[in-house]
Amino acid sequence: MAGRETGETAVPAHSGPVRDVVEYDLLFDCVHCGLCLESCPTYLLTRAEMDSPRGRIYLMKSLEEGRITLDDDVVRHLDACLGCRGCETACPSGVHYGRLLEQARDFVDRNYRRGFCDTMRHAAVRFSFPYPARLRAMLWPLRTAERLKMRAAVRRLAPRALREWIDLLPAQTQAAPVYPEARWPNSGGPTAVVHHGCVAQVLTPSANRNTERALAAAGYRVVQLAPTACCGALDLHDGNLRRGLDFARRNVRALKRSGAQAIVSAASGCAAAIASYGELLKNDPELAGDAREVSARATDLSTPLLARGTPAGRLECTVTYHDSCHLVHGMGVREGPRKLLALIAGVRLVEMAESDLCCGSAGSYNLLEPAMAHQLARRKADNIEATGADYVVLGNPGCEFQVAAELRRRNSSVRVIHLADFLALAASGA
Ligand code: SF4
Ligand code: SF4
């Protein structure tokens, strides 16, 4: 047995809550209709009820009522969930699945002892990802190897588990598109701030920079937020609720202080996390009001750009768009990025099949659950290639790494690019 429940024993059948797993009342929103099943990526892959939203809600309820113990099997089904919230979009009953999952994972984190390898993987993610300085330091050897044209050799020498992580990393020294300086007046208009995130500021700084420049080109006065703390999403999704809440509080204070009218993130996972601060901190006596205010100002990039008129540009190419889960299912942003792309002269937009099905990235999911993540990446890459597009545009760095890694694996000619970088490319007339 890889792990076991700690501090609690099995309790006989019971009709009410005997454990504090999730907000019990929220479980009753689910009427077991099953309409979410075909929207759930893990159910599509395994066809197992316990890998569906309905099945996982049943597990949470059974745990809460003490009808099952927190054993390896239960944890496996909860771990396999991507947290993509595709089920929320499909659910006619308004189930708050994302909140339920965060609470259930926190319960798992407090009450279940993982096996050694699993513990190490979770610990590595928690230690490095939310802290840009640590992540930079850890990537330094790879960056050096790349400069010496030795990345492939380093990869070959690395243990298998580490090799999979290396494969996901974009080239550390590649040049990225940049918005032309002349289009960056940075004066007048409403204020906007770009939350730089943690992983994004190390691995895709161009997306942050070009998001700021696109906003400035559209007439926003871009203010800086320094230093930026992790938004907390990685911890919230991984069951580390206490630290996730600490990050949320730090960000609420900093974002409120910035006075920005629009709070934008180039990472849709971060934008959705910031948009959830109001709910997350609703019982915080000091910050509940500020958290609500900050949440109400959180937005994706397309919304403020479309509100002010889009930056001009031209690029002759065929483009398909991948809906990042937390943008489409967490924030309900589906049309905005497409409208923005369609406004660029020369761009031909083609839809891919299952554009809103998770690519398997899901925060740190592809590092922690690589088998399921690979299957989803392959499915996504098949759908992308079937469009014949030159570019797949998306709004989240995690999806960018995941999709790019799979397309590299198959030597595809399709280029993966963040929406902000694509706007920069079009603005520079490349
Ligand atoms: S969050 Fe995604 S993977 Fe998890 S149950 Fe919902 S649809 Fe399935
Ligand atoms: S989560 Fe929603 S869609 Fe899925 S079974 Fe429950 S009520 Fe139906």
Side-chain angles (χ1 to χ4, degrees), residues 355-368:
S355 66
D356 62 356
L357 192 78
C358 182
C359 63
S361 164
S364 54
Y365 185 92
N366 49 359
L367 305 175
L368 301 171

Side-chain angles (χ1 to χ4, degrees), residues 171-428:
Q172 300 296 293
T173 48
Q174 76 189 5
V178 182
Y179 242 98
E181 280 298 332
R183 293 177 193 267
W184 195 23
N186 204 15
S187 60
T191 46
V193 68
V194 176
H195 186 277
H196 284 196
C198 49
V199 174
Q201 66 174 279
V202 179
L203 292 177
T204 51
S206 65
N208 282 332
R209 194 174 50 235
N210 288 328
T211 296
E212 286 175 343
R213 292 187 174 198
L215 287 165
Y220 287 86
R221 195 156 49 80
V222 179
V223 294
Q224 295 295 321
L225 192 69
T228 308
C230 167
C231 69
L234 281 168
D235 281 332
L236 296 172
H237 301 162
D238 191 36
N240 197 359
L241 193 55
R242 192 194 293 184
R243 195 173 69 175
L245 287 171
D246 283 348
F247 280 133
R249 289 191 186 95
R250 282 169 61 182
N251 278 301
V252 166
R253 290 192 186 98
L255 289 165
K256 168 83 180 162
R257 245 192 337 266
S258 78
Q261 288 145 290
I263 299 168
V264 185
S265 170
S268 61
C270 304
I274 295 168
S276 76
Y277 285 168
E279 173 60 36
L280 207 59
L281 298 173
K282 67 181 176 199
N283 297 323
D284 187 301
E286 184 205 343
L287 289 173
D290 288 350
R292 264 197 311 277
E293 208 179 301
V294 163
S295 284
R297 294 177 183 190
T299 176
D300 76 309
L301 174 60
S302 71
T303 307
L305 291 187
L306 288 170
R308 301 274 303 175
T310 181
R314 176 169 203 93
L315 202 58
E316 295 290 340
C317 59
T318 305
V319 165
T320 191
Y321 180 75
H322 160 70
D323 290 282
S324 301
C325 297
H326 284 255
L327 201 52
V328 64
H329 303 305
M331 299 182 79
V333 175
R334 193 183 288 269
E335 293 308 320
R338 289 176 169 81
K339 280 188 189 155
L340 214 49
L341 291 168
L343 285 169
I344 299 170
V347 166
R348 194 171 76 88
L349 184 62
V350 287
E351 282 296 326
M352 71 169 92
E354 300 180 336
S355 66
D356 62 356
L357 192 78
C358 182
C359 63
S361 164
S364 54
Y365 185 92
N366 49 359
L367 305 175
L368 301 171
E369 301 288 331
M372 196 84 87
H374 277 157
Q375 290 188 62
L376 289 167
R378 283 197 288 273
R379 190 171 176 138
K380 180 61 67 181
D382 287 346
N383 286 329
I384 291 168
E385 290 200 303
T387 64
D390 304 305
Y391 291 93
V392 53
V393 178
L394 33 72
N396 188 49
C399 307
E400 192 177 342
F401 308 150
Q402 170 81 344
V403 174
E406 179 55 30
L407 291 174
R408 269 198 306 273
R409 237 173 251 135
R410 51 175 79 188
N411 282 325
S412 172
S413 60
V414 186
R415 265 190 74 187
V416 186
I417 188 163
H418 190 282
L419 177 65
D421 290 342
F422 189 81
L423 295 176
L425 214 54
S428 61

Side-chain angles (χ1 to χ4, degrees), residues 29-37 53-54 57 87-88 90-95 97:
D29 290 338
C30 177
V31 295
H32 316 295
C33 65
L35 290 173
C36 54
L37 266 58
R54 184 173 63 184
I57 289 170
C87 45
E88 285 189 20
C91 177
S93 191
V95 166
Y97 184 85

